[in-house]
Amino acid sequence: QSVLTQPPSVSGASGQRVTISCTGTSSNIGAGYDVHWYQQIPGRAPKLLMYANNNRPAGVPERFSGSKSGTSASLAITGLQGEDEADYYCQTYDSSLSAVVFGGGTKLTVL
Amino acid sequence: QVQLVESGGGLVKPGGSLRLSCAASEFPFDDYYMSWVRQAPGKGLDWVAYISSGGITINYAASVKGRFTISRDNAKNSLYLQMNSLRAEDTAIYYCARYDMGYGAPVVDHWGQGTLVTVSS
């Protein structure tokens, strides 16, 4: 069981908007640690998608955005495209565990 | 273009040992924290260990502490993971990862392609 909780799956029609939640506790997200997001296309290595809550690395489309509030964070994707089908993971640091922690991952299906 | 190339994976029996290597290039290796992250078949990402740029600060996940040892050789631009007393549940793709420590939590800004470790009799 992951320290950070994500929905196992989300789906949306092409062109629509979806959000993926990442729920933590007072020892990780709630403690003020930044949240990062990774995208992993099946069979490939993960790729950094969003860092420090709401910052996109170069090359990541503006359709992707992130936010953080309290003990949770969210990744939003607008204008869904077929190429967005992938697994998405949130990640932060947990001070009680003294460990880097990942969410369990969310599989995005574009209908 | 940052490159991280893992090697050393393979099939090993329970209780056995394996040493993974990661060759880094195209960036100042000794300026960066490095990490190993694994992914069991069909499962999510699982942080294993990280090591500071100079090799002084090291941290392990509880699941591998006492069995795995992370190390680095900055002269060779290489990261290592010595894995002992391997268990079936250690079966996974092991990714070499570069950390950016400039934020309020370590972030992996570059990943290797991974090397598969299978623990089975």
Side-chain angles (χ1 to χ4, degrees):
Chain A
Q1 193 162 351
S2 302
V3 173
L4 304 177
T5 301
Q6 298 180 234
S9 63
V10 297
S11 62
S14 181
Q16 288 194 328
R17 178 182 188 269
V18 296
T19 61
I20 299 172
S21 61
C22 174
T23 303
T25 68
S26 58
S27 63
N28 43 67
I29 299 176
Y33 292 104
D34 284 336
V35 176
H36 316 298
W37 292 88
Y38 304 92
Q39 179 192 58
Q40 186 179 33
I41 293 169
R44 299 180 65 176
K47 166 192 148 185
L48 180 62
L49 186 70
M50 192 74 56
Y51 66 94
N53 310 315
N54 56 10
N55 296 276
R56 284 175 286 105
V60 174
E62 291 181 9
R63 304 185 292 105
F64 293 88
S65 62
S67 64
K68 188 186 97 165
S69 178
T71 58
S72 295
S74 289
L75 176 72
I77 311 170
T78 59
L80 273 177
Q81 299 180 6
E83 67 199 46
D84 299 332
E85 278 209 344
D87 295 320
Y88 293 83
Y89 296 90
C90 59
Q91 177 249 304
T92 187
Y93 183 82
D94 190 289
S95 57
S96 292
L97 300 172
S98 296
V100 171
V101 290
F102 285 94
T106 299
K107 181 177 181 60
L108 169 63
T109 301
V110 180
L111 303 171
Chain B
Q1 182 84 354
V2 170
Q3 288 205 33
L4 300 169
V5 180
E6 303 92 339
S7 60
L11 175 63
V12 61
K13 289 181 168 53
S17 298
L18 211 56
R19 188 193 196 210
L20 305 184
S21 299
C22 170
S25 60
E26 305 302 326
F27 69 96
F29 182 71
D30 54 5
D31 280 352
Y32 286 85
Y33 276 57
M34 298 294 295
S35 178
W36 290 97
V37 178
R38 67 185 179 182
Q39 186 171 34
K43 303 295 184 183
L45 300 173
D46 183 30
W47 169 72
V48 174
Y50 69 71
I51 185 169
S52 62
S53 53
I56 303 302
T57 300
I58 288 174
N59 198 11
Y60 297 98
S63 58
V64 307
K65 193 173 290 186
R67 300 187 299 123
F68 290 12
T69 302
I70 189 172
S71 63
R72 63 191 296 161
D73 185 336
N74 286 345
K76 294 183 177 179
N77 288 349
S78 293
L79 176 72
Y80 306 101
L81 185 68
Q82 177 66 43
M83 304 184 294
N84 299 330
S85 302
L86 282 161
R87 306 166 181 166
E89 55 264 36
D90 296 318
T91 293
I93 296 172
Y94 284 72
Y95 293 103
C96 172
R98 189 182 88 166
Y99 271 154
D100 185 336
M101 300 297 286
Y103 303 98
V107 56
V108 178
D109 62 0
H110 286 89
W111 299 74
Q113 286 307 299
T115 187
L116 176 62
V117 173
T118 303
V119 184
S120 175
S121 54

